[in-house]
Amino acid sequence: MTLSPIEQTKSWVSQVIVGYNFCPFAKKEVVNNTIEYVDSQTESHEDAVIEMLSLIQQMRENDEIETCLHIFSKGFQNFDDFLDLVDLANAMLVSSGYEGFIQIANFHPDYVFADSDESDAANYTNRAPYPTLHLIREASMARVLDIHPDPEGIPETNIKLAREKGISFWQQLLNHCQTGKKD
């Protein structure tokens, strides 16, 4: 049985993001079923950004969608190409008047932080089954950050956990999310 890109991403959110508390705010959205998952077939930067703007408009019109994972199962497999998409998406967010309403986080199977080595397990805090733009309501994020005891410490805690578990652990978990099978 092959899992769809949406099923793989839901598994990743459940097992990695919620399971290891990489985002302390995600569990509520999973439980409340307020995450929109969209599998995009587009491979061009322009089409991807047009889709993203349409998704943001849907979020503006529907308060039931708290956050959206815009998954690219066909395009942007090259990490540098994906980073170009992220730059364009952020620019279009601003020029379209959505700055202040939505912020974009990003995930990729080959994610490497700018100041990191490719073999650093900390990169797995932003590795996902597919290239993904995470569209987040800024007002909601501000509310949860205001009540979190240490919002600045979240990335440090995640990096520490990622390094403690190691690359093989995270890769095996990511593989499991993609296949639905334990190695």
Side-chain angles (χ1 to χ4, degrees):
M1 173 181 98
T2 303
L3 298 177
S4 73
I6 289 176
E7 291 170 322
Q8 291 176 47
T9 302
K10 284 182 176 182
S11 178
W12 169 74
V13 168
S14 174
Q15 293 185 50
V16 178
I17 302 302
V18 173
Y20 287 92
N21 205 30
F22 278 168
C23 176
F25 321 116
K27 183 176 182 179
K28 176 184 175 229
E29 305 315 326
V30 169
V31 169
N32 292 337
N33 197 30
T34 55
I35 303 172
E36 183 79 9
Y37 296 85
V38 176
D39 179 14
S40 175
Q41 301 299 302
T42 190
E43 297 182 45
S44 81
H45 291 87
E46 295 77 14
D47 289 343
V49 170
I50 289 168
E51 266 187 3
M52 178 199 75
L53 293 174
S54 175
L55 293 170
I56 293 171
Q57 186 58 39
Q58 287 176 31
M59 290 176 73
R60 178 164 267 166
E61 295 168 0
N62 185 351
D63 290 338
E64 301 288 313
I65 303 170
E66 186 60 39
T67 190
C68 178
L69 292 171
H70 191 191
I71 305 158
F72 298 96
S73 60
K74 300 281 185 225
F76 312 105
Q77 299 303 310
N78 176 282
F79 184 56
D80 290 330
D81 190 36
F82 178 69
L83 291 178
D84 290 342
L85 172 63
V86 171
D87 289 343
L88 180 60
N90 279 308
M92 290 303 295
L93 184 79
V94 172
S95 68
S96 298
Y98 289 121
E99 185 179 36
F101 173 62
I102 294 290
Q103 62 180 270
I104 303 171
N106 60 88
F107 303 93
H108 193 278
D110 298 320
Y111 197 95
V112 177
F113 286 102
D115 59 350
S116 179
D117 184 81
E118 194 173 303
S119 63
D120 187 347
N123 294 315
Y124 280 86
T125 64
N126 280 61
R127 289 199 178 170
Y130 293 94
T132 303
L133 296 178
H134 182 192
L135 309 175
I136 307 163
R137 291 179 185 267
E138 278 201 22
S140 300
M141 183 56 67
R143 279 194 302 276
V144 295
L145 288 175
D146 282 346
I147 61 171
H148 191 277
D150 183 23
E152 293 83 21
I154 294 170
E156 293 170 19
T157 300
N158 292 346
I159 288 168
K160 182 179 179 207
L161 175 63
R163 288 177 176 156
E164 284 174 3
K165 295 282 189 186
I167 288 173
S168 62
F169 173 85
W170 296 111
Q171 188 57 54
Q172 191 172 37
L173 184 56
L174 189 57
N175 291 345
H176 177 257
C177 294
Q178 292 170 306
T179 63
K181 300 176 191 169
K182 297 243 184 227
D183 287 342

